[in-house]
Amino acid sequence: MKGSHYDIIIVGQGICGTVLSSALMEQHQKVLVIDDGNKKAASKIASGVINPVTGRRIVKTWQIDTVMPAAVRMYQALEKKLGTSIVKQCNIINFHPSEQMQKAFKDRIAEDPTYLSTQPLPNTIAAAFEAPFGHTVIDPCWLVNLENLLHYWRQKLIEKKAFIEDVFDFKKLESKADHIVYDKYTANKIIFCEGAKGQENPYFKQLPFAPNKGEALLVKINGLDNRYIYKKAVSIVPWKDAVFWVGSNYEWDNYNDDPSPSFKEKTITALNEWLTIPYEVIDHIAGIRPANTQRRPFIGMHPVFKNIGIFNGMGTKGCSLAPYFAEQMTEHILHQTPIDNEATIDRFHILAP
Ligand SMILES: Cc1cc2nc3c(=O)[nH]c(=O)nc-3n(C[C@H](O)[C@H](O)[C@H](O)COP(=O)(O)OP(=O)(O)OC[C@H]3O[C@@H](n4cnc5c(N)ncnc54)[C@H](O)[C@@H]3O)c2cc1C
């Protein structure tokens, strides 16, 4: 059977493959997406939060002033295109865990109040938590409904005959001077968006991948306001109706991708100390974040195999970073415009496999 020719083949339909295929199709590229349907892919486990400030030092996250508006714009456009809800503003109520952190937030607000506010809590929320050290609201934060985004984008691709559910087989990939051949298909370029599996990719496994595992409990909490995210030792994130996603942890060593009893135990202890209203654990999920030692994306075309590229390395921040960089990668593919210095794979010395 004669195969088809594509402008771009994309391997993986997590958040990266989704937004990159969307950005390329916006530019009228003929795209084929191949995904193996792994139910434990990071994008299916993630809570979907876009949080502009992080850490004990309360710093703005890398490039947030640029990437957050770009992400919201792209998600809102996809929302219209797909006819489903994908993004909503959902501020974080950050409960201070200690007097020291209470002071750190106070000092930070005095110095630079961007993204922080001290608005009082509605009574029902104040009553639902033990909060001896007060709170700060992180504003604006956004919440991405990854389940809707991934599902409805996949349906759109299927409708356009641009999707195959299969495991990509590297033995069937050949790199030619000005195109690639994969099985019965040909394409001008192929871009790998495999998430943590990227560390096994023969063309890119030299990159300093350092994936880590994260887990979450899905917890029913009747009566808790689902217009906010709540954060202390763990985050409580609206998931569906009265169900909340509660996580997470970072496991770098000796992990598999199964939920662990120790995470469940620790998370239940944290909830018991924090929540004053009843809850019920209904599920426990785990996935592997495509993180790396530099905490910056891996984006660009292979220096030797010019038609083979990568769009990966989003670590803990796929929801905020992927849309902006998908547009940058699209421009790079179509017009050879440069990729951000800190995100391009040109910063590494990659050899042929
Ligand atoms: C517990 C947890 C919480 C998180 N919370 C957040 C959050 O709140 N906000 C945020 O921004 N980020 C969060 N993240 C990080 C986020 O999940 C990642 O940054 C993002 O999902 C990475 O997307 P990706 O498309 O690169 O990878 P993935 O989601 O892993 O997608 C890769 C896809 O490629 C497919 N694939 C791989 N190899 C092959 C192959 N050979 N053939 C075919 N298909 C293949 C996989 O099955 C998968 O579908 C969280 C992650 C975890 C684990």
Side-chain angles (χ1 to χ4, degrees), residues 47 88 90 143 225-230 236-241 243-245:
S47 52
K88 61 175 182 183
C90 193
L143 187 58
D225 192 331
N226 66 5
R227 291 169 301 168
Y228 295 92
I229 296 158
Y230 308 91
I236 300 180
V237 184
W239 188 253
K240 235 184 243 174
D241 306 323
V243 176
F244 292 78
W245 180 108

Side-chain angles (χ1 to χ4, degrees), residues 9-293:
I9 292 178
I10 289 178
V11 180
Q13 195 235 328
I15 182 85
C16 283
T18 296
V19 295
L20 183 60
S21 55
S22 166
L24 285 161
M25 286 160 82
E26 278 293 309
Q27 299 301 320
H28 314 292
Q29 296 296 289
K30 187 180 176 197
V31 173
L32 176 69
V33 178
I34 303 171
D35 183 87
D36 60 10
N38 178 9
K39 295 205 164 28
K40 290 180 171 180
S43 304
K44 292 181 185 147
I45 305 299
S47 52
V49 177
I50 299 179
N51 174 6
V53 292
T54 81
R56 298 184 71 80
R57 289 175 46 242
I58 320 165
V59 287
K60 280 208 268 181
T61 64
W62 182 63
Q63 298 230 14
I64 196 67
D65 298 339
T66 310
V67 300
M68 188 159 76
V72 172
R73 223 174 23 245
M74 187 186 282
Y75 294 134
Q76 286 175 339
L78 279 164
E79 208 161 52
K80 275 202 191 123
K81 185 182 274 181
L82 300 176
T84 184
S85 64
I86 290 175
V87 71
K88 61 175 182 183
Q89 187 175 339
C90 193
N91 292 346
I92 296 177
I93 300 176
N94 191 80
F95 290 92
H96 310 133
S98 62
E99 221 174 292
Q100 197 188 359
M101 281 311 287
Q102 185 174 28
K103 180 172 182 313
F105 269 95
K106 202 170 164 221
D107 293 349
R108 165 68 163 76
I109 289 170
E111 197 180 297
D112 175 11
T114 321
Y115 298 128
L116 299 176
S117 104
T118 51
Q119 69 208 51
L121 295 185
N123 288 342
T124 52
I125 295 178
F129 293 95
E130 296 286 352
F133 303 109
H135 72 278
T136 301
V137 178
I138 307 181
D139 176 6
C141 291
W142 296 84
L143 187 58
V144 182
N145 186 327
L146 284 161
E147 188 182 348
N148 280 354
L149 173 62
L150 298 186
H151 172 77
Y152 286 101
W153 183 247
R154 188 185 183 105
Q155 294 311 307
K156 176 67 84 186
L157 291 172
I158 292 169
E159 218 175 84
K160 292 182 174 293
K161 299 199 183 339
F163 185 84
I164 297 174
E165 179 160 333
D166 204 358
V167 177
F168 185 86
D169 181 356
F170 284 91
K171 291 199 285 295
K172 296 181 184 165
L173 175 63
E174 281 176 71
S175 174
K176 307 282 188 190
D178 60 353
H179 68 285
I180 62 100
V181 181
Y182 177 68
D183 199 10
K184 57 181 189 270
Y185 309 103
T186 56
N188 298 343
K189 291 189 178 7
I190 185 164
I191 312 294
F192 287 97
C193 304
E194 307 152 279
K197 286 265 179 205
Q199 68 177 343
E200 294 161 29
N201 183 313
Y203 295 89
F204 296 106
K205 65 182 176 193
Q206 297 168 46
L207 294 171
F209 284 96
N212 65 67
K213 175 181 174 179
E215 303 181 45
L217 299 182
L218 299 184
V219 175
K220 196 164 185 202
I221 316 176
N222 286 322
L224 186 61
D225 192 331
N226 66 5
R227 291 169 301 168
Y228 295 92
I229 296 158
Y230 308 91
K231 193 163 185 234
K232 199 178 166 191
V234 289
S235 295
I236 300 180
V237 184
W239 188 253
K240 235 184 243 174
D241 306 323
V243 176
F244 292 78
W245 180 108
V246 183
S248 183
N249 60 339
Y250 297 85
E251 201 71 54
W252 278 273
D253 301 311
N254 302 324
Y255 57 71
N256 55 29
D257 60 3
D258 293 328
S260 72
S262 64
F263 171 80
K264 186 172 180 180
E265 205 178 299
K266 273 187 211 154
T267 306
I268 286 176
T269 304
L271 283 179
N272 289 346
E273 284 171 3
W274 187 27
L275 265 182
T276 61
I277 55 176
Y279 68 89
E280 180 195 355
V281 176
I282 56 171
D283 207 351
H284 182 180
I285 54 179
I288 313 294
R289 299 179 184 90
N292 62 79
T293 54

